[in-house]
Amino acid sequence: MSNTYGTVAVLGAGTMGAGIAQVCAQAGSSVVLQDITDEFVQKGLARIRDFLQKGVDKGKTTAQQRDDVLSRITTTTDRAGASRNAQMVIEAVPEKLELKNGLFRELAGVVAPTCVLASNTSSLSLAKVFAGVAGPERCIGMHFFNPVPLMALLELVRTDATSQATIDAVTAYGKQLGKEPILVKDSPGFASSRLGVCLGLEAIRMLESGVASAEDIDKAMVLGYGHPMGPLKLTDLVGLDVRLAIADYLTKELDHPGFKAPELMRRMVADGKLGKKTGQGFYRW
Ligand code: CAA
């Protein structure tokens, strides 16, 4: 299968990175999945294997497709090595500005000048993520949604420097990944996180003040508004730590009280109740 980007490096093998690597491999790209330890990389690969196997069990995926996708994914802990021959690098490392900016500054000197540099950040300023990176016209936000293989949206975020050629090529690739791209300008929380996190935080405040149980707050949105999943269960799926970091960032950037993180959320994060990934959040998983 031929597509826009034959070789893609995905940096970060967590929930998002593993999902992104999977959909890129499904679209026919050769993917190098990198993380800082072999344990993280193997966990990411296991997540992909499990998803594909579930697909086989459900009759949605053939055993041959599963094997083909897996055969297109290689793993490494060497970030520069993973990126050197890539036509596109997508980072999905933790939501820390210095970490992402440092990574792109380092890689800009390693990859080809035409290699697209993409960040999966869910809310950080792309202008800051790419500050000082050589070739800003090839830099773009590619925000995927969890679970990546199932969610149709791809939020593309352009900075003032992103070229139209980059937007066009990445939009085409997004479609090859089976996603529906939307284009958003670089502003705090973009279109998706600004709205989604606001709803999640308000639901936590309601739980905190005893308005209703977690189940009933979620049911209000599922049955009353047709959301596929209530805001508390969704916060569990995304990770309380991830949403707390976004909330703190948006509070700072937007100066809006709606984004102030509830105490309950801070306590749960401090106690390691991060949601699905730790087995306990607003629900037990
Ligand atoms: N392989 C192939 N297909 C699979 C599969 C697998 N391993 N697992 C599930 N599927 C298919 C199912 O067969 C089903 O297909 P049909 O519709 O054709 O029947 C479909 O995927 C849905 O799966 P399920 O029926 O098992 O599950 P569901 O209907 O409960 O949906 C969900 C699960 C897609 C997660 C849904 O609950 C949902 O959309 N939730 C909201 C998720 C969301 O909002 N995510 C965004 C989070 S925010 C974010 O990610 C941004 C950020 O920056 C943090």
Side-chain angles (χ1 to χ4, degrees):
M1 198 195 299
S2 78
N3 66 34
T4 315
Y5 300 104
T7 306
V8 175
V10 178
L11 310 180
T15 308
M16 298 304 288
I20 294 166
Q22 181 185 328
V23 295
C24 292
Q26 284 174 185
S29 300
S30 295
V31 178
V32 187
L33 178 61
Q34 180 272 345
D35 210 318
I36 52 173
T37 69
D38 197 48
E39 187 199 341
F40 291 166
V41 165
Q42 291 312 323
K43 262 194 189 157
L45 195 57
R47 198 172 281 134
I48 298 171
R49 238 188 247 117
D50 286 353
F51 188 95
L52 291 169
Q53 185 53 47
K54 240 179 238 158
V56 173
D57 298 343
K58 282 173 177 282
K60 295 253 166 165
T61 308
T62 66
Q64 185 65 52
Q65 282 168 332
R66 174 200 61 201
D67 296 346
D68 287 349
V69 171
L70 288 172
S71 75
R72 284 195 282 274
I73 302 174
T74 53
T75 58
T76 181
T77 52
D78 174 5
R79 190 153 76 190
S83 309
R84 192 164 288 120
N85 297 316
Q87 291 155 298
M88 170 184 270
V89 173
I90 308 175
E91 73 71 21
V93 303
E95 288 285 278
K96 295 196 178 105
L97 185 57
E98 310 71 50
L99 184 63
K100 289 180 192 271
N101 182 242
L103 174 153
F104 283 120
R105 279 173 183 252
E106 171 204 320
L107 289 182
V110 171
V111 299
T114 52
C115 176
V116 168
L117 299 176
S119 171
N120 177 57
T121 181
S122 49
S123 62
L124 297 176
S125 155
L126 269 308
K128 289 182 187 163
V129 167
F130 293 121
V133 173
E137 70 288 342
R138 43 133 173 213
C139 296
I140 191 164
M142 275 179 97
H143 183 204
F144 290 83
F145 294 82
N146 183 13
V148 179
L150 299 184
M151 299 305 286
L153 183 63
L154 175 60
E155 186 171 46
L156 299 181
V157 186
R158 68 180 305 170
T159 70
D160 290 341
T162 310
S163 70
Q164 192 58 45
T166 300
I167 293 169
D168 291 346
V170 175
T171 300
Y173 188 57
K175 290 181 182 164
Q176 288 156 7
L177 299 180
K179 304 298 177 202
E180 187 73 50
I182 60 169
L183 183 61
V184 179
K185 93 169 180 180
D186 186 18
S187 70
F190 318 132
S192 59
S193 297
R194 189 163 165 177
L195 285 173
V197 168
C198 206
L199 195 65
L201 293 173
E202 199 55 33
I204 300 170
R205 270 188 276 279
M206 287 162 62
L207 180 68
E208 197 171 38
S209 59
V211 172
S213 65
E215 289 80 2
D216 283 354
I217 292 170
D218 276 351
K219 258 189 206 167
M221 288 296 105
V222 173
L223 301 182
Y225 282 68
H227 291 190
M229 193 180 254
L232 295 168
K233 192 175 257 184
L234 183 57
T235 303
D236 268 5
L237 179 74
V238 171
L240 275 80
D241 54 334
V242 173
R243 283 206 144 173
L244 176 59
I246 299 174
D248 284 343
Y249 180 75
L250 292 181
T251 301
K252 204 168 71 198
E253 294 293 315
L254 294 169
D255 191 25
H256 184 309
F259 292 107
K260 194 166 178 296
E263 267 319 302
L264 173 62
M265 185 183 211
R266 286 195 194 283
R267 245 188 352 260
M268 288 175 71
V269 170
D271 291 346
K273 294 176 182 164
L274 307 183
K276 187 175 179 186
K277 63 187 165 191
T278 57
Q280 177 73 57
F282 299 106
Y283 295 85
R284 184 170 284 285
W285 292 80

Short mmCIF file of all heavy atoms in Angstrom, two decimals, residues 192-255:
data_model
loop_
_atom_site.label_atom_id
_atom_site.label_comp_id
_atom_site.label_asym_id
_atom_site.label_seq_id
_atom_site.Cartn_x
_atom_site.Cartn_y
_atom_site.Cartn_z
N SER A 192 -10.95 20.88 20.81
CA SER A 192 -11.46 19.71 21.52
C SER A 192 -11.23 19.75 23.03
O SER A 192 -12.17 19.54 23.81
CB SER A 192 -10.82 18.45 20.94
OG SER A 192 -9.41 18.57 21.10
N SER A 193 -9.99 20.00 23.46
CA SER A 193 -9.69 19.91 24.89
C SER A 193 -10.38 21.04 25.66
O SER A 193 -10.82 20.85 26.80
CB SER A 193 -8.19 19.98 25.14
OG SER A 193 -7.56 18.89 24.53
N ARG A 194 -10.47 22.22 25.04
CA ARG A 194 -11.07 23.36 25.73
C ARG A 194 -12.52 23.03 26.12
O ARG A 194 -12.95 23.33 27.23
CB ARG A 194 -11.02 24.57 24.79
CG ARG A 194 -11.41 25.85 25.46
CD ARG A 194 -10.93 27.00 24.62
NE ARG A 194 -11.57 28.23 24.99
CZ ARG A 194 -11.29 29.41 24.43
NH1 ARG A 194 -10.37 29.49 23.48
NH2 ARG A 194 -11.90 30.50 24.83
N LEU A 195 -13.25 22.42 25.23
CA LEU A 195 -14.64 22.07 25.53
C LEU A 195 -14.73 20.81 26.39
O LEU A 195 -15.48 20.76 27.37
CB LEU A 195 -15.42 21.84 24.23
CG LEU A 195 -15.79 23.09 23.46
CD1 LEU A 195 -16.41 22.72 22.12
CD2 LEU A 195 -16.77 23.93 24.28
N GLY A 196 -13.98 19.79 26.01
CA GLY A 196 -14.08 18.49 26.69
C GLY A 196 -13.63 18.55 28.14
O GLY A 196 -14.30 17.99 29.03
N VAL A 197 -12.53 19.26 28.40
CA VAL A 197 -12.00 19.33 29.77
C VAL A 197 -12.93 20.14 30.65
O VAL A 197 -13.15 19.82 31.83
CB VAL A 197 -10.56 19.90 29.75
CG1 VAL A 197 -10.08 20.25 31.14
CG2 VAL A 197 -9.61 18.90 29.11
N CYS A 198 -13.51 21.18 30.09
CA CYS A 198 -14.45 22.03 30.83
C CYS A 198 -15.60 21.18 31.39
O CYS A 198 -15.96 21.26 32.57
CB CYS A 198 -15.00 23.06 29.85
SG CYS A 198 -15.53 24.55 30.61
N LEU A 199 -16.15 20.33 30.54
CA LEU A 199 -17.26 19.47 30.94
C LEU A 199 -16.81 18.47 32.03
O LEU A 199 -17.50 18.25 33.02
CB LEU A 199 -17.75 18.71 29.70
CG LEU A 199 -19.09 18.03 29.78
CD1 LEU A 199 -20.19 19.06 29.96
CD2 LEU A 199 -19.34 17.21 28.51
N GLY A 200 -15.64 17.89 31.83
CA GLY A 200 -15.11 16.92 32.79
C GLY A 200 -14.89 17.55 34.16
O GLY A 200 -15.24 16.96 35.20
N LEU A 201 -14.33 18.76 34.19
CA LEU A 201 -14.04 19.42 35.47
C LEU A 201 -15.33 19.77 36.21
O LEU A 201 -15.42 19.62 37.43
CB LEU A 201 -13.20 20.69 35.23
CG LEU A 201 -11.79 20.46 34.69
CD1 LEU A 201 -11.14 21.79 34.35
CD2 LEU A 201 -10.94 19.69 35.68
N GLU A 202 -16.32 20.22 35.47
CA GLU A 202 -17.59 20.57 36.10
C GLU A 202 -18.25 19.32 36.69
O GLU A 202 -18.83 19.37 37.78
CB GLU A 202 -18.51 21.26 35.09
CG GLU A 202 -19.64 22.06 35.70
CD GLU A 202 -19.17 23.11 36.71
OE1 GLU A 202 -18.08 23.68 36.56
OE2 GLU A 202 -19.91 23.34 37.69
N ALA A 203 -18.13 18.20 35.98
CA ALA A 203 -18.69 16.95 36.50
C ALA A 203 -18.01 16.57 37.81
O ALA A 203 -18.67 16.09 38.76
CB ALA A 203 -18.52 15.84 35.46
N ILE A 204 -16.69 16.77 37.90
CA ILE A 204 -15.97 16.44 39.14
C ILE A 204 -16.43 17.37 40.27
O ILE A 204 -16.64 16.94 41.40
CB ILE A 204 -14.44 16.52 38.94
CG1 ILE A 204 -13.99 15.54 37.85
CG2 ILE A 204 -13.70 16.23 40.25
CD1 ILE A 204 -12.55 15.72 37.39
N ARG A 205 -16.60 18.65 39.96
CA ARG A 205 -17.10 19.59 40.98
C ARG A 205 -18.48 19.17 41.48
O ARG A 205 -18.79 19.26 42.65
CB ARG A 205 -17.19 21.01 40.40
CG ARG A 205 -15.91 21.81 40.59
CD ARG A 205 -16.09 23.27 40.20
NE ARG A 205 -15.91 23.47 38.78
CZ ARG A 205 -14.72 23.57 38.19
NH1 ARG A 205 -13.62 23.53 38.91
NH2 ARG A 205 -14.63 23.73 36.89
N MET A 206 -19.32 18.69 40.56
CA MET A 206 -20.66 18.24 40.94
C MET A 206 -20.59 17.01 41.85
O MET A 206 -21.32 16.90 42.83
CB MET A 206 -21.49 17.94 39.69
CG MET A 206 -21.92 19.19 38.95
SD MET A 206 -22.43 18.85 37.26
CE MET A 206 -23.83 17.77 37.53
N LEU A 207 -19.68 16.10 41.53
CA LEU A 207 -19.50 14.90 42.37
C LEU A 207 -19.00 15.32 43.75
O LEU A 207 -19.50 14.85 44.78
CB LEU A 207 -18.49 13.96 41.69
CG LEU A 207 -18.19 12.67 42.43
CD1 LEU A 207 -19.41 11.74 42.45
CD2 LEU A 207 -17.01 11.92 41.79
N GLU A 208 -18.04 16.23 43.75
CA GLU A 208 -17.43 16.73 44.99
C GLU A 208 -18.48 17.36 45.90
O GLU A 208 -18.44 17.20 47.12
CB GLU A 208 -16.38 17.77 44.59
CG GLU A 208 -15.37 18.12 45.64
CD GLU A 208 -14.26 18.99 45.02
OE1 GLU A 208 -14.56 19.85 44.16
OE2 GLU A 208 -13.10 18.80 45.42
N SER A 209 -19.42 18.08 45.32
CA SER A 209 -20.40 18.76 46.17
C SER A 209 -21.67 17.94 46.36
O SER A 209 -22.68 18.44 46.85
CB SER A 209 -20.71 20.15 45.61
OG SER A 209 -21.21 20.04 44.31
N GLY A 210 -21.62 16.66 45.95
CA GLY A 210 -22.72 15.74 46.27
C GLY A 210 -23.99 15.94 45.45
O GLY A 210 -25.07 15.56 45.87
N VAL A 211 -23.87 16.52 44.27
CA VAL A 211 -25.06 16.71 43.43
C VAL A 211 -25.68 15.36 43.05
O VAL A 211 -26.89 15.19 43.06
CB VAL A 211 -24.69 17.51 42.15
CG1 VAL A 211 -25.85 17.56 41.16
CG2 VAL A 211 -24.27 18.93 42.52
N ALA A 212 -24.84 14.41 42.71
CA ALA A 212 -25.31 13.06 42.36
C ALA A 212 -24.12 12.12 42.38
O ALA A 212 -22.97 12.56 42.52
CB ALA A 212 -25.96 13.08 40.97
N SER A 213 -24.38 10.82 42.23
CA SER A 213 -23.28 9.84 42.19
C SER A 213 -22.56 9.96 40.84
O SER A 213 -23.12 10.51 39.88
CB SER A 213 -23.84 8.43 42.35
OG SER A 213 -24.65 8.11 41.23
N ALA A 214 -21.37 9.39 40.77
CA ALA A 214 -20.61 9.40 39.50
C ALA A 214 -21.45 8.74 38.40
O ALA A 214 -21.54 9.25 37.28
CB ALA A 214 -19.29 8.65 39.68
N GLU A 215 -22.07 7.62 38.75
CA GLU A 215 -22.87 6.88 37.75
C GLU A 215 -24.00 7.76 37.22
O GLU A 215 -24.28 7.78 36.03
CB GLU A 215 -23.47 5.60 38.36
CG GLU A 215 -22.47 4.49 38.65
CD GLU A 215 -21.68 4.72 39.95
OE1 GLU A 215 -21.93 5.72 40.66
OE2 GLU A 215 -20.77 3.90 40.22
N ASP A 216 -24.67 8.48 38.14
CA ASP A 216 -25.83 9.27 37.70
C ASP A 216 -25.41 10.53 36.94
O ASP A 216 -26.10 10.94 35.98
CB ASP A 216 -26.73 9.60 38.89
CG ASP A 216 -27.58 8.39 39.31
OD1 ASP A 216 -27.51 7.36 38.59
OD2 ASP A 216 -28.28 8.46 40.33
N ILE A 217 -24.31 11.14 37.32
CA ILE A 217 -23.82 12.30 36.55
C ILE A 217 -23.49 11.84 35.13
O ILE A 217 -23.86 12.49 34.14
CB ILE A 217 -22.58 12.93 37.24
CG1 ILE A 217 -22.99 13.58 38.56
CG2 ILE A 217 -21.91 13.95 36.32
CD1 ILE A 217 -21.83 14.02 39.44
N ASP A 218 -22.83 10.69 35.04
CA ASP A 218 -22.49 10.18 33.70
C ASP A 218 -23.75 9.83 32.90
O ASP A 218 -23.83 10.12 31.70
CB ASP A 218 -21.57 8.95 33.82
CG ASP A 218 -20.12 9.36 33.98
OD1 ASP A 218 -19.81 10.57 33.82
OD2 ASP A 218 -19.28 8.49 34.26
N LYS A 219 -24.71 9.22 33.60
CA LYS A 219 -25.95 8.84 32.90
C LYS A 219 -26.65 10.08 32.34
O LYS A 219 -27.28 10.03 31.28
CB LYS A 219 -26.90 8.13 33.86
CG LYS A 219 -26.92 6.63 33.68
CD LYS A 219 -28.03 5.99 34.50
CE LYS A 219 -27.64 4.56 34.83
NZ LYS A 219 -28.50 3.99 35.86
N ALA A 220 -26.55 11.19 33.06
CA ALA A 220 -27.21 12.43 32.60
C ALA A 220 -26.73 12.80 31.20
O ALA A 220 -27.50 13.21 30.34
CB ALA A 220 -26.94 13.57 33.59
N MET A 221 -25.42 12.66 30.99
CA MET A 221 -24.87 13.03 29.68
C MET A 221 -25.06 11.93 28.63
O MET A 221 -25.28 12.22 27.46
CB MET A 221 -23.37 13.35 29.83
CG MET A 221 -23.08 14.64 30.53
SD MET A 221 -23.71 16.09 29.62
CE MET A 221 -25.13 16.50 30.58
N VAL A 222 -25.01 10.68 29.08
CA VAL A 222 -25.14 9.57 28.13
C VAL A 222 -26.59 9.48 27.63
O VAL A 222 -26.86 9.46 26.43
CB VAL A 222 -24.70 8.23 28.78
CG1 VAL A 222 -25.01 7.06 27.85
CG2 VAL A 222 -23.22 8.26 29.10
N LEU A 223 -27.52 9.46 28.59
CA LEU A 223 -28.92 9.25 28.19
C LEU A 223 -29.62 10.55 27.84
O LEU A 223 -30.52 10.57 27.02
CB LEU A 223 -29.68 8.52 29.31
CG LEU A 223 -29.10 7.15 29.69
CD1 LEU A 223 -29.95 6.49 30.78
CD2 LEU A 223 -29.01 6.23 28.47
N GLY A 224 -29.19 11.64 28.48
CA GLY A 224 -29.86 12.91 28.22
C GLY A 224 -29.31 13.67 27.03
O GLY A 224 -30.02 14.44 26.39
N TYR A 225 -28.02 13.47 26.76
CA TYR A 225 -27.38 14.24 25.70
C TYR A 225 -26.78 13.37 24.59
O TYR A 225 -26.17 13.88 23.66
CB TYR A 225 -26.30 15.16 26.27
CG TYR A 225 -26.86 16.42 26.93
CD1 TYR A 225 -27.61 16.36 28.09
CD2 TYR A 225 -26.65 17.67 26.34
CE1 TYR A 225 -28.14 17.50 28.68
CE2 TYR A 225 -27.17 18.81 26.93
CZ TYR A 225 -27.91 18.73 28.09
OH TYR A 225 -28.42 19.86 28.66
N GLY A 226 -26.89 12.07 24.75
CA GLY A 226 -26.39 11.19 23.69
C GLY A 226 -24.88 11.09 23.58
O GLY A 226 -24.35 10.72 22.54
N HIS A 227 -24.15 11.43 24.68
CA HIS A 227 -22.70 11.24 24.64
C HIS A 227 -22.41 9.73 24.74
O HIS A 227 -23.12 9.03 25.46
CB HIS A 227 -22.02 11.97 25.81
CG HIS A 227 -22.08 13.46 25.68
ND1 HIS A 227 -21.36 14.31 26.49
CD2 HIS A 227 -22.76 14.26 24.83
CE1 HIS A 227 -21.61 15.57 26.14
NE2 HIS A 227 -22.45 15.56 25.14
N PRO A 228 -21.37 9.24 24.05
CA PRO A 228 -21.11 7.80 24.11
C PRO A 228 -20.66 7.35 25.50
O PRO A 228 -20.79 6.19 25.86
CB PRO A 228 -20.00 7.58 23.08
CG PRO A 228 -19.40 8.92 22.86
CD PRO A 228 -20.46 9.94 23.13
N MET A 229 -20.14 8.28 26.27
CA MET A 229 -19.57 7.96 27.58
C MET A 229 -19.71 9.20 28.45
O MET A 229 -19.53 10.32 27.94
CB MET A 229 -18.09 7.66 27.34
CG MET A 229 -17.33 7.03 28.42
SD MET A 229 -15.62 6.79 27.86
CE MET A 229 -15.59 5.05 27.58
N GLY A 230 -20.03 9.04 29.74
CA GLY A 230 -20.17 10.21 30.61
C GLY A 230 -18.83 10.88 30.88
O GLY A 230 -17.77 10.27 30.70
N PRO A 231 -18.85 12.14 31.36
CA PRO A 231 -17.60 12.90 31.54
C PRO A 231 -16.66 12.33 32.61
O PRO A 231 -15.44 12.53 32.52
CB PRO A 231 -18.09 14.30 31.93
CG PRO A 231 -19.51 14.14 32.36
CD PRO A 231 -20.05 12.95 31.63
N LEU A 232 -17.21 11.63 33.61
CA LEU A 232 -16.33 11.07 34.65
C LEU A 232 -15.66 9.79 34.14
O LEU A 232 -14.46 9.59 34.33
CB LEU A 232 -17.13 10.80 35.93
CG LEU A 232 -17.67 12.09 36.59
CD1 LEU A 232 -18.69 11.78 37.67
CD2 LEU A 232 -16.54 12.94 37.14
N LYS A 233 -16.43 8.96 33.49
CA LYS A 233 -15.84 7.74 32.92
C LYS A 233 -14.80 8.13 31.86
O LYS A 233 -13.73 7.53 31.77
CB LYS A 233 -16.93 6.85 32.31
CG LYS A 233 -16.42 5.47 31.97
CD LYS A 233 -17.51 4.57 31.48
CE LYS A 233 -17.94 3.60 32.57
NZ LYS A 233 -18.93 2.64 32.11
N LEU A 234 -15.10 9.16 31.11
CA LEU A 234 -14.16 9.61 30.07
C LEU A 234 -12.87 10.14 30.71
O LEU A 234 -11.77 9.90 30.21
CB LEU A 234 -14.82 10.68 29.20
CG LEU A 234 -13.96 11.19 28.04
CD1 LEU A 234 -13.54 10.06 27.12
CD2 LEU A 234 -14.72 12.24 27.23
N THR A 235 -13.02 10.85 31.84
CA THR A 235 -11.83 11.34 32.55
C THR A 235 -10.98 10.16 33.01
O THR A 235 -9.75 10.18 32.94
CB THR A 235 -12.24 12.24 33.72
OG1 THR A 235 -13.03 13.32 33.22
CG2 THR A 235 -11.03 12.82 34.44
N ASP A 236 -11.65 9.08 33.46
CA ASP A 236 -10.92 7.85 33.81
C ASP A 236 -10.18 7.29 32.60
O ASP A 236 -9.04 6.82 32.71
CB ASP A 236 -11.91 6.78 34.30
CG ASP A 236 -12.11 6.82 35.81
OD1 ASP A 236 -11.56 7.72 36.48
OD2 ASP A 236 -12.83 5.93 36.33
N LEU A 237 -10.84 7.32 31.46
CA LEU A 237 -10.23 6.75 30.24
C LEU A 237 -9.00 7.57 29.81
O LEU A 237 -7.95 7.02 29.49
CB LEU A 237 -11.27 6.73 29.11
CG LEU A 237 -10.80 6.20 27.76
CD1 LEU A 237 -10.64 4.68 27.81
CD2 LEU A 237 -11.78 6.57 26.65
N VAL A 238 -9.15 8.89 29.85
CA VAL A 238 -8.06 9.77 29.41
C VAL A 238 -6.92 9.76 30.43
O VAL A 238 -5.74 9.81 30.08
CB VAL A 238 -8.58 11.21 29.22
CG1 VAL A 238 -7.44 12.19 28.99
CG2 VAL A 238 -9.58 11.28 28.07
N GLY A 239 -7.26 9.69 31.72
CA GLY A 239 -6.26 9.76 32.79
C GLY A 239 -6.44 11.05 33.58
O GLY A 239 -6.41 12.14 32.98
N LEU A 240 -6.65 10.94 34.89
CA LEU A 240 -6.86 12.15 35.70
C LEU A 240 -5.63 13.05 35.68
O LEU A 240 -5.75 14.27 35.71
CB LEU A 240 -7.21 11.77 37.15
CG LEU A 240 -8.69 11.48 37.41
CD1 LEU A 240 -9.06 10.08 36.98
CD2 LEU A 240 -9.04 11.69 38.88
N ASP A 241 -4.45 12.43 35.64
CA ASP A 241 -3.22 13.21 35.62
C ASP A 241 -3.11 14.02 34.34
O ASP A 241 -2.71 15.20 34.35
CB ASP A 241 -2.00 12.30 35.80
CG ASP A 241 -1.97 11.15 34.78
OD1 ASP A 241 -3.05 10.74 34.28
OD2 ASP A 241 -0.87 10.65 34.49
N VAL A 242 -3.50 13.40 33.22
CA VAL A 242 -3.44 14.10 31.93
C VAL A 242 -4.39 15.29 31.95
O VAL A 242 -4.03 16.41 31.58
CB VAL A 242 -3.82 13.12 30.78
CG1 VAL A 242 -3.94 13.86 29.46
CG2 VAL A 242 -2.80 11.99 30.68
N ARG A 243 -5.61 15.05 32.44
CA ARG A 243 -6.59 16.14 32.45
C ARG A 243 -6.25 17.23 33.46
O ARG A 243 -6.52 18.40 33.23
CB ARG A 243 -7.99 15.59 32.71
CG ARG A 243 -8.56 14.92 31.46
CD ARG A 243 -10.05 14.92 31.43
NE ARG A 243 -10.54 15.10 30.07
CZ ARG A 243 -11.81 15.01 29.70
NH1 ARG A 243 -12.73 14.73 30.60
NH2 ARG A 243 -12.18 15.21 28.46
N LEU A 244 -5.62 16.83 34.58
CA LEU A 244 -5.21 17.83 35.58
C LEU A 244 -4.16 18.77 34.97
O LEU A 244 -4.23 20.00 35.15
CB LEU A 244 -4.66 17.13 36.83
CG LEU A 244 -4.11 18.03 37.93
CD1 LEU A 244 -5.18 19.00 38.45
CD2 LEU A 244 -3.55 17.22 39.10
N ALA A 245 -3.22 18.18 34.25
CA ALA A 245 -2.17 19.01 33.63
C ALA A 245 -2.80 19.98 32.63
O ALA A 245 -2.41 21.15 32.56
CB ALA A 245 -1.13 18.11 32.94
N ILE A 246 -3.79 19.50 31.88
CA ILE A 246 -4.44 20.39 30.90
C ILE A 246 -5.20 21.49 31.64
O ILE A 246 -5.16 22.67 31.26
CB ILE A 246 -5.41 19.59 29.99
CG1 ILE A 246 -4.66 18.52 29.20
CG2 ILE A 246 -6.14 20.52 29.03
CD1 ILE A 246 -5.57 17.59 28.38
N ALA A 247 -5.90 21.11 32.71
CA ALA A 247 -6.69 22.09 33.48
C ALA A 247 -5.77 23.19 34.02
O ALA A 247 -6.09 24.39 33.91
CB ALA A 247 -7.42 21.40 34.62
N ASP A 248 -4.64 22.80 34.59
CA ASP A 248 -3.72 23.80 35.15
C ASP A 248 -3.19 24.72 34.05
O ASP A 248 -3.09 25.93 34.23
CB ASP A 248 -2.55 23.10 35.86
CG ASP A 248 -2.97 22.54 37.22
OD1 ASP A 248 -4.04 22.95 37.72
OD2 ASP A 248 -2.25 21.68 37.76
N TYR A 249 -2.90 24.13 32.92
CA TYR A 249 -2.38 24.92 31.79
C TYR A 249 -3.43 25.90 31.29
O TYR A 249 -3.16 27.08 31.07
CB TYR A 249 -1.93 23.96 30.68
CG TYR A 249 -1.38 24.67 29.48
CD1 TYR A 249 -0.11 25.23 29.51
CD2 TYR A 249 -2.12 24.78 28.31
CE1 TYR A 249 0.41 25.89 28.41
CE2 TYR A 249 -1.62 25.43 27.20
CZ TYR A 249 -0.36 25.98 27.26
OH TYR A 249 0.14 26.65 26.17
N LEU A 250 -4.67 25.42 31.13
CA LEU A 250 -5.72 26.28 30.60
C LEU A 250 -6.11 27.37 31.60
O LEU A 250 -6.47 28.49 31.20
CB LEU A 250 -6.95 25.46 30.19
CG LEU A 250 -6.73 24.55 28.97
CD1 LEU A 250 -8.01 23.80 28.61
CD2 LEU A 250 -6.23 25.34 27.77
N THR A 251 -6.05 27.07 32.89
CA THR A 251 -6.32 28.09 33.91
C THR A 251 -5.35 29.25 33.73
O THR A 251 -5.72 30.42 33.76
CB THR A 251 -6.15 27.51 35.33
OG1 THR A 251 -7.05 26.42 35.47
CG2 THR A 251 -6.44 28.53 36.41
N LYS A 252 -4.10 28.88 33.50
CA LYS A 252 -3.04 29.90 33.33
C LYS A 252 -3.24 30.67 32.03
O LYS A 252 -3.20 31.89 32.00
CB LYS A 252 -1.69 29.16 33.32
CG LYS A 252 -0.52 30.04 33.72
CD LYS A 252 0.72 29.21 33.97
CE LYS A 252 1.21 28.69 32.66
NZ LYS A 252 2.09 27.63 32.55
N GLU A 253 -3.50 29.94 30.96
CA GLU A 253 -3.54 30.57 29.63
C GLU A 253 -4.83 31.34 29.35
O GLU A 253 -4.82 32.34 28.66
CB GLU A 253 -3.37 29.50 28.54
CG GLU A 253 -2.02 28.82 28.54
CD GLU A 253 -0.89 29.76 28.15
OE1 GLU A 253 -1.05 30.51 27.18
OE2 GLU A 253 0.16 29.75 28.83
N LEU A 254 -5.95 30.83 29.86
CA LEU A 254 -7.23 31.43 29.50
C LEU A 254 -7.81 32.30 30.61
O LEU A 254 -8.80 33.00 30.41
CB LEU A 254 -8.25 30.35 29.12
CG LEU A 254 -7.94 29.57 27.84
CD1 LEU A 254 -8.86 28.37 27.70
CD2 LEU A 254 -8.06 30.46 26.61
N ASP A 255 -7.24 32.22 31.80
CA ASP A 255 -7.69 33.02 32.93
C ASP A 255 -9.21 32.91 33.09
O ASP A 255 -9.94 33.90 33.09
CB ASP A 255 -7.28 34.49 32.72
CG ASP A 255 -7.51 35.30 33.99
OD1 ASP A 255 -7.51 34.69 35.07
OD2 ASP A 255 -7.70 36.53 33.89
#
